[in-house]
């Protein structure tokens, strides 16, 4: 049996969990998330113990694969509506900057034009430093959406290995390359 799948998910105070038609809705102070459940998985919500249990219907390989995944997705949703998730990004480069105008994030990344990105609902962006190195934090309840938005921003200008210019995760380590060695004069 899956070690991850068989462990229960504790429901913190202030979180409502409901299961209807293989869709689990989890609501907390940070928002409301929905998670669709595969038909081979069974969800039991124990109100007295404040726990969610994920049970599989059989011992087939497909059921075993889905058991831990389903439990992890539900645990991430519970964590997201209570504490939330965040990703930190750094923007490094001369003239590179980031601004927030209403619901749009405006990135100046060395192109001839600024890049405008609409911030989706449920995501907050906090700018700690606008210019070199620019720092911004992407926060939200949905782990997948926070990670995808951060990856989309990084994709506009990935860090290059010579000077390290570009958009990188705050904890990312860039392996730097040495430039061309100068020729010695004789």
């Amino acid at each position: 049996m899956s070690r991850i799948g068989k462990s229960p998910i504790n429901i913190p105070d202030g979180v409502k969990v409901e299961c209807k038609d293989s869709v689990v809705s989890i609501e907390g102070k940070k928002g409301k998330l929905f998670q669709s459940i595969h038909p081979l998985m069974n969800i039991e919500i124990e109100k007295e113990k404040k726990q969610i249990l994920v049970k599989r219907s059989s011992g087939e390989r497909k059921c075993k694969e889905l058991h831990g995944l389903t439990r992890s997705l539900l645990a991430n949703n519970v964590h997201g509506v209570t504490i939330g998730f965040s990703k930190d990004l750094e923007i490094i480069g001369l003239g590179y900057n980031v601004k927030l105008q209403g619901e749009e994030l405006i990135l100046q990344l060395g192109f001839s034009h600024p890049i405008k990105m609409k911030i989706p609902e449920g995501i907050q962006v906090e700018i700690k430093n606008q210019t070199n190195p620019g720092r911004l934090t992407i926060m939200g309840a949905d782990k997948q959406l926070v990670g995808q938005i951060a990856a989309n921003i990084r994709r506009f200008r990935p860090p290059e290995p010579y000077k390290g210019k570009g958009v990188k995760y705050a904890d990312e380590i860039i392996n730097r390359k040495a430039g061309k060695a100068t020729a010695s004069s004789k």
Side-chain angles (χ1 to χ4, degrees):
M1 189 168 201
S2 171
R3 278 185 250 158
I4 294 172
K6 70 180 178 183
S7 60
I9 304 165
N10 294 322
I11 303 171
D13 294 332
V15 175
K16 294 179 187 174
V17 180
E18 293 179 3
C19 184
K20 284 186 183 177
D21 300 328
S22 73
V23 174
V24 177
S25 66
I26 301 171
E27 186 175 0
K29 63 182 178 182
K30 296 275 186 179
K32 187 172 187 177
L33 296 174
F34 298 96
Q35 183 64 51
S36 60
I37 304 299
H38 196 277
L40 295 174
M41 294 292 109
N42 299 319
I43 305 299
E44 294 177 8
I45 302 169
E46 294 182 357
K47 303 258 184 204
E48 309 84 43
K49 292 183 181 179
K50 290 191 167 188
Q51 290 181 338
I52 303 171
L53 295 173
V54 180
K55 306 274 181 165
R56 58 182 185 217
S57 58
S58 68
E60 295 178 26
R61 181 179 176 146
K62 183 78 171 170
C63 289
K64 289 179 182 179
E65 292 170 353
L66 290 169
H67 194 202
L69 171 70
T70 304
R71 192 254 178 220
S72 292
L73 291 174
L74 290 174
N76 285 342
N77 287 348
V78 169
H79 184 273
V81 297
T82 55
I83 298 168
F85 294 98
S86 67
K87 284 273 189 188
D88 294 324
L89 294 172
E90 289 182 0
I91 299 174
I92 300 169
L94 190 64
Y96 291 14
N97 64 36
V98 60
K99 288 187 273 191
L100 195 61
Q101 284 185 346
E103 293 296 314
E104 274 191 337
L105 187 66
I106 299 174
L107 301 156
Q108 198 68 317
L109 299 175
F111 297 115
S112 62
H113 59 283
I115 299 169
K116 296 180 180 180
M117 182 178 180
K118 187 172 179 345
I119 300 169
E121 190 176 321
I123 297 291
Q124 296 87 34
V125 176
E126 180 182 307
I127 298 174
K128 296 177 182 166
N129 192 7
Q130 285 190 342
T131 57
N132 197 12
R135 298 180 197 279
L136 67 138
T137 303
I138 298 152
M139 300 169 289
D142 190 355
K143 185 177 186 178
Q144 294 173 352
L145 187 59
V146 168
Q148 187 62 52
I149 297 299
N152 289 347
I153 292 171
R154 184 184 182 278
R155 194 175 299 135
F156 290 133
R157 179 73 81 170
E160 53 94 15
Y162 295 102
K163 292 183 180 177
K165 291 170 52 173
V167 180
K168 72 179 195 83
Y169 298 114
D171 58 352
E172 182 179 8
I173 297 170
I174 300 169
N175 293 330
R176 304 287 286 271
K177 292 182 181 178
K180 291 184 179 179
T182 57
S184 61
S185 58
K186 293 184 181 180

